[in-house]
Amino acid sequence: MRKIPKLTPSQALNRPLIRQAETHSEVFEEEIKTTRRLGFYIGDLGFLIAQQTTSELTDLLPICSIPFTATWLLGLINLRGN
C-alpha cells in the first residue's frame, strides 16, 4: 500500500477537495482510513482540530499572573467563576 503524505493544517484547509480525489485515485477505497477534522480560521491562520475535541472561544478576560512560574505561562483567568 502506498503511503499518503501528511499535510500541515494550513495545507489541508487550503487545498481543493477535487485535488485530493485525483491524487489518491489509485488507492482502493477500502484502504483509505478516514479521520474527520473540524477546520476554522483565525485571521490568516488555519486550524484543524479532532471532531471529538471540546473547546470554547470567549471574550478576552483579565489574566492573573502566577508568581514563580515559567515565562511562557501567562496565568489564569476566571471563567464562569471557576
Side-chain angles (χ1 to χ4, degrees), residues 30-78:
E30 59 268 12
E31 292 180 6
I32 296 176
K33 223 178 191 182
T34 303
T35 303
R36 297 191 66 157
R37 299 275 188 249
L38 302 173
F40 61 96
Y41 284 98
I42 298 178
D44 292 336
L45 294 175
F47 294 91
L48 288 175
I49 58 173
Q51 190 174 14
Q52 68 275 13
T53 301
T54 303
S55 60
E56 177 181 357
L57 295 175
T58 64
D59 292 328
L60 187 58
L61 299 170
I63 300 174
C64 301
S65 61
I66 303 171
F68 309 111
T69 56
T71 55
W72 55 261
L73 180 63
L74 297 178
L76 298 174
I77 62 168
N78 185 3

